[in-house]
Structures are given as structure tokens and as C-alpha cells.
Amino acid sequence: MAVSPMRRVSLRNLAAHKVRLALTVLSVVLGTAFVAGSFVFTDTLARTFDSIFEDTAEGVDVRFSTEELTSRGVPIAEIDKIAAIDGVRAVAPFASGSVVLLNSEGAAVQTGGAPTVGVSYLPPDQALAEPDPIVAGTAPAEPGQVAINTSAAERAGLSVGDATEILVPTRGMVDVTVTGIYDTGNDTGGFIGVAFVDSQARELFTDGKHVEYVDVAGSGVSPSELKETISAALPDYQVQTGDEVREETKSQISQALSFVNYFLLAFGAIALLVGTFIIYNTFSMLVAQRLKELALLRAVGASRQQIGRSVVFEALVVGVIGSALGIVAGIGLAYGLRGLLNAFDLGLPEGSLQVGPRTIIIALVVGVLVTTVSAYAPARRASKVPPVAAMREEFASTGDSLRTRTFFGIGLGAVGVVALVVGSQGTGKGAAALVGVAAFALILAVLLGAPALSRPIVGALGSVLAKPFGSIGKLARTNAVRNPRRTAATAFALTLGLMLVSVIGVFGSSAKASVNALVDVGVTADYILTGPDMMGVPTGAAPAVEKLDDVSSAVSLHRLSVKIDGEDQNGASYDGPLDGVLDVTMVDGTADISGTDMLVSETTADEKGWQVGSTVDLVDGDEQTVTTTVTGIYEDTPLMGTWLVSDEVYRATMPAFSMPDMLVFVDAAEGADIAQLRSELEQATEQFVVVQVLDPEQFKGVQAQQIDMLLAILYGLLALAVVIAVLGIVNTLALSVVERRREIGMLRAVGMQRAQMRRTIYLESVLIAVFGAAVGVLLGVAFGWGFVSTLADQGIDRVAVPWGQIVAMLVGSGVVGVLAALWPANRAARTRPLEAIADL
């Protein structure tokens, strides 16, 4: 099929400006690569986990369990009832729990975050399906014997016949002998599975009266029929078919991975948004540079629609090329991300990369749509070019008035400021939503008002930064403010990137400041015992340190989940006196807590209408009720949570497998040597291998490290948007050099040296970059303050601005400006005066 003349013109125009095409395509590539990479990475993880769990409940027709996760489990007495139901061929009770496997040197095996689980092993004659094959040794046959999976054996350096220890957080250290090594049949990453004989598993992971669940195999009936029969006989329990269990497991994994996908896609969207401004700016400049060409096409018969379509067609070509390359780059990005995570040994399973049709379609559609939409306004402007007027030299320098957009920008800005101030005065979702609306309004206000802002701000920056360079600096400042639309569009891409960096910086600094203040003001303990996040402190650690002569008290913190008035509620429990370890300010009543006493925070008391003497019913996962009495009301503090109960209530409402301590606060005895006490604590807790002994300053440091790790991930993802913004500056300056070719030639002809020309472009780029950075930082600090203020009820009650980081960003933006100008400046410096002047 013949190509229309206008499309042929568009294709030739693209081919004639390969560097410009490459820079524009690159901005699309980076954005779509992030989108494609997000889908490839999460699809790969989903497929890998699906392959791991597709054998879940193999051979199981029905699984019998409790509905509440905090339940103690299925009473052992129910097992015989299930076995006696018609259609039941066999039953297999199951028990499991978290453990820590010690390696051949007696140290805890690191899994990189993957779970380490102890399970009950049933021999083939009792199991409903064939157990995982033993590839070395034999299966455990008596208490004290275990089988471990192949990856556990490799990580721990253990072989058949080796003796080691296993830490069970709720029971302490257990001596075992590895009698077998089994193969799960899939790559399970850092997962560690330890199989005990059923009797020992029940002893370690249950209260002896319950099991986690019971798997059932039927005979002569379908799984759905058996499910109905068991449900009718025992209606107070959850009964699922094996297929339902597998689907539920896959659904939970999919839901967990969807967060990762949305998280990555959000940053891909940010990158594409930044790229949108670059593409818009690029095509706006292209249209401005080609006014005479477009006017000539109009003069020889091209219609307005043809002119507009030709510009959109160029954008379409850029979008298709950029999206296709972005998909390839996205696959590489997913591969690199997986390799990076493996390098950090996060324990994730490996699998072949999954590139589905959905990924390709979405990446192509997003890339092409973003590019064509970005080019629509320039295309529309091109279609309105008056043929005769555009051929006049002065037409190219004219522009529309900024009055209307500036007026709307001021209005939106006023609305945004009011919403930001009002939203920051409250807490909760409503206040945060109002701050979000304010942020959106202010971003639009800056977008609309940036051209008007650029003249005075860039002019002021030029007076400071460019003044030392004399006439060269003056010329750079003049160039930077000559076209405020272009300056604003170029700077706005950097504004968005550094705005988000600043928001995250304020959030991180505020979180660390809040934690520091919380520990400084609220914690009076001399040391704090901590353990792994998902496990806590083994239960034997607190009694071990409390026996020391230099320890006055060791108070354990627990979390418990119950129902109050039919709603799920989370509270806390301390198993000792709070004096000496926490600074509690009581509003009413007493801080002493024992028996069925309950302490509540001031906010909770107001919300619930509770007062000293009120009774509160706590309903546990087994529908058992414990009635407590409010004996004290304290000032709000995250260390205490919303309400507290005694250790007695905690043990009455929570199952045995959830008994590890979250933290243990240690108060030194009067006259004890604090430095010497650390050594005593470390020696007393050495047997528990995972326990860390921290003083309050070290505890703050550990929390700060966790916050910094999260910030590093966010900054790394935002770096892509900043890179795209820098490319935008490069692209704009390069196109600006082409546009001003005759002007540059004239300056060179009257004596400007190449070094002076380069310096002019450098300074112009620096002014644009610093302008964008300054506006971005100002917005980011304002939004960060607003959002953090709404989190006061979540424990982040301090607003801190990372001034050092802000100064570094402003200085860095100047450096970025110079780096972005290197190629355009050299290109301008190489302009031949006579050839440039002769160009029409």
C-alpha cells in the first residue's frame, strides 16, 4: 500500500534528525521499561510461587480447621469425630510453627527473609499423599530426629547423621539429629523446612490439646459431598475442599504480590508522567522550529488536518519504537532486579522470566498513548499555522499570552494552600485525603503558573549565579527567560522528581525523629532485648536475664488480637511492673496492672466512652470471653498502644504458639555497672542465638537503619524519573541550539570564543535546573509537612526537614545542569559562523 505524501514527509523528518529522535525515544523507553519490568517481575514471582504451592493439600479431599487465625486450633477430641463420619477414609492432623535452625558451627542459618518452619511428619502409611521424597538418609522415626529440605542442608552445611540444635521460640532449644534430607521438587529459595515426628511437633507447636488443622481423605464420595457431610456434623468449623485450599493459597500470594506490582507501577507512572512533559516540550519546540516548513506545506495545498495528523504520526512512530524497546529493556530490568535481590540473599525462589501477552499489550498501549497525547497540543498548534504569517521571521518568536493560565494557576494555588493548611490540622484518612487534594491542586497551579514564575525566579537566580561571569552570564540569563513556556516545561520534569524525593525525605526524617523522641522520652530501661521481626524474642530470654543479680526487672511486651464489641482489636500486654522501664503518664487511675485489670489510652477512652471502673469483654479466637476492668487511663504513646492488659489475660486469650515476646525491657539494679551488665546479658541470652542486646541509642539506630533501607529503595525507584528529567534538559538544550543556530553563528562571527559559547549553555542549563529543583523542593517540603502532620495518631508526631539533603539536592541540581549541557554546549561551540548565518 502506498504511503501518503504527508506520512512520507513525517518519516523523512524523523530520519533527518536521528539524535533528536533517539533522545525522545529514550524518554519513552525508560517509562515503558519500568511498566513492562514491573509486570514481568511480579508475573515471574507469581508463577514461581504457584508452582511451589500447586501441590498444597495434595491427596486432601477436605481440610477441617477453625475460622479465626488466633484460635488455638482444632481440639484433638474432634479428630475421632471426624474419622467416624460416613465417607471418611483417613484423617491426618497437622501442627507447625516457626523455628530457627543452627548450622554446623552453631550459628543461626540466615534465610534472607524466607520462612523457617517446623512441621509434623507423617509416614506414608499415615499420610494422605506421598511425602516429599527422602534423597539422603531416612525419615524421622522418633523424637529428636528430623529431616530437613535440600536448601536447608546446603545453607546450614549439615549432612545426614549430624547433630545440631533448633530454637523453637515458644519452647527454647531442642537437640536434634538430622536423619534425612528431602527434596520439595521446586526451587524454594531460602525456605527452611524441618520435619519432626508428629508427637514431637504437637509438643513443640501446640498446647497439647489442639492441632493446627485436620486433613481428610474420603472414600466413595466426592470432595464437595464430603465437605457438606462434615459441615453438617460439625457446623462450628471451617471446612474446605482441597481445591478450595489451593485456590485460597494462590489468592493470598497473588494479593501479596499485587502490592509489589502496584508499588512498582506507581513509580513507572511517575516516570511516564515526567516523560510526558519532555515529549510535549520536544514536539512544541519541533513545531516552533518547523513553522516555515509547515507553512510551506500549507501553501502548496496541505490542509490543517493533514498538518496536525503528520505531527501526531511522528509521535506515533516515536511511541511504537520507544514502547517496543521499552519492553525489551523491561525484561532486562526484571532480570537485573531479580539478580539484585538474589545478591542481597532475600530468600526468594528463582524461576524463568514470564513475559505474557498482557505485559506486551499494556506496555505498547501505555507508551503509544502517552506519546500521542503529549504531542496532541503541539499538533493542534501546528495545524493552526497561517501559511503567509508563518513565513515571516518575526512570527516564530511570538507566543500566546500567559495571562489566562497564570490566572487559573493563582486560583488553584490559593485553593491548594488552604486545603493543605486545613488538612494538616487533622489526622486519619480524611485529613490525608484533603492533603492529597491540596497537593494535586498545587501541582496543577505550578504547572499553569510556572512560565510566569520562571521569569522573576530565573532572573533572580541569574543575578546571583551568573553575575560573576559578566556578559556571558547576562546572555545566559537572557536566554533562560526568553521563552518562559519552554523553560517551565523543561524544569517541571525535574520539579516532579525532586518534589517526590523531598516528600520521602521529610517522611523519613520525621519518622526517625519521632522514634528518637519516643525512645528518649518514653523508655527508661537500660537495655532492650530484640529478635527477628517475624519471630520476636524467645520466651526463655526474659527469665534468663531476670535471674541476674544486676537486673532489677525484665518486662516483656506482647501483642494480642481479640474482638471487642464484635470488632477486631489489637492491644498489648506487659508481664511486669512498668516503673523503671517505661515513663507512663497517668490521666486517671493507677498504672499497676494485674489479674483482669486493663489500662487504656486517653484517646481510646474518649472514643469508646470508657472510664475507670468500666468493664470490657475480650473475645478470643475460640469465642471464649474474658471480662476486664479499666483501672487506669494514660496519655497516648505508641509504646503502650491503645490498651493494655495483664500477662494473665494475655495467656488466657492467645494460643500457645503466639507466645514469644516482641521486646524485653531490662532495668538495671541500683548500683549495677551498666557496661558490665551488657556482657552479662549477652552471656545469659547467648543460648537463644537470635537475641540482640541493645541500649536505647542502639535501639534507635536499628529503627533508623530500617527506615533508611526503605528510603533507599524509594530513592532508587525515583532515580528513574530524575534521569528522565535530566534527559529532558539535554533534549531541550540540544533543540534550543538548533533553533538558535543563526544567533549562535552571529555571536561567533562577532568574536565569541568556543569556550565562552560552552559556558553560556552551561549557565543556561544550570539556571533551568536550579529553578526546577528549587520549586520541587519547596513543594516537596510543604507536602511532606502536610502528610506527616496527618500521621500524628500513628506515632509519627514530629516533623523534621532534612536540610542537609535539601542543600545537597540544590547543589546537585546545578551539577546536573552542567552535565546535561555538555553535549549541547559542545555542539553549539562547533557551530561554523558563516554556515549558520547563511541558513534560512
Side-chain angles (χ1 to χ4, degrees), residues 186-206:
N186 295 291
D187 178 9
T188 54
F191 168 76
I192 291 179
V194 181
F196 298 85
V197 293
D198 183 53
S199 60
Q200 188 170 22
R202 293 195 199 184
E203 177 186 344
L204 296 175
F205 306 127
T206 74

Side-chain angles (χ1 to χ4, degrees), residues 503-541:
V503 169
I504 293 171
V506 170
F507 175 79
S509 296
S510 300
K512 287 188 280 189
S514 298
V515 170
N516 291 346
L518 179 66
V519 175
D520 290 338
V521 175
V523 177
T524 58
D526 296 291
Y527 288 101
I528 304 169
L529 307 186
T530 67
D533 290 338
M534 300 301 292
M535 181 179 296
V537 182
T539 52

Side-chain angles (χ1 to χ4, degrees), residues 245-484:
V245 171
R246 284 185 286 273
E247 287 304 314
E248 182 181 58
T249 302
K250 290 181 179 180
S251 176
Q252 291 171 346
I253 294 169
S254 177
Q255 186 175 358
L257 291 177
S258 65
F259 171 77
V260 177
N261 195 26
Y262 295 146
F263 183 74
L264 293 176
L265 285 177
F267 287 91
I270 292 169
L272 281 171
L273 179 61
V274 173
T276 297
F277 289 97
I278 295 171
I279 297 165
Y280 167 80
N281 207 27
T282 298
F283 278 93
S284 295
M285 294 183 69
L286 292 180
V287 168
Q289 291 174 18
R290 295 166 54 198
L291 282 177
K292 288 187 177 182
E293 172 194 330
L294 297 173
L296 183 59
L297 289 171
R298 288 290 312 281
V300 297
S303 67
R304 286 187 174 186
Q305 290 76 15
Q306 286 177 312
I307 294 295
R309 285 197 296 266
S310 70
V311 176
V312 172
F313 179 70
E314 289 183 30
L316 183 64
V317 172
V318 169
V320 171
I321 296 174
S323 300
L325 294 176
I327 292 171
V328 176
I331 296 172
L333 184 66
Y335 183 83
L337 180 59
R338 187 178 65 177
L340 180 64
L341 295 178
N342 288 338
F344 281 99
D345 192 23
L346 296 185
L348 292 172
E350 293 190 20
S352 58
L353 292 178
Q354 302 293 312
V355 184
R358 177 200 59 179
T359 300
I360 296 174
I361 293 171
I362 290 179
L364 281 173
V365 170
V366 168
V368 171
L369 187 63
V370 164
T371 309
T372 51
V373 168
S374 301
Y376 172 75
R380 189 167 176 269
R381 193 178 306 132
S383 69
K384 295 181 178 181
V385 173
V388 177
M391 292 182 186
R392 296 201 305 267
E393 183 69 26
E394 66 272 16
F395 183 82
S397 61
T398 61
D400 298 331
S401 172
L402 299 175
R403 185 176 301 170
T404 301
R405 63 181 292 168
T406 303
F407 174 78
F408 281 108
I410 292 173
L412 280 171
V415 171
V417 170
V418 171
L420 182 64
V421 172
V422 173
S424 65
Q425 303 305 309
T427 58
K429 294 180 180 179
L434 186 57
V435 172
V437 171
F440 181 72
L442 285 171
I443 291 172
L444 285 181
V446 170
L447 175 62
L448 294 173
L453 284 173
S454 67
R455 280 176 172 161
I457 295 178
V458 174
L461 288 172
S463 299
V464 177
L465 300 178
K467 188 175 182 179
F469 297 92
S471 58
I472 297 298
K474 186 175 181 180
L475 180 61
R477 183 179 64 175
T478 302
N479 287 337
V481 299
R482 176 189 298 178
N483 191 326

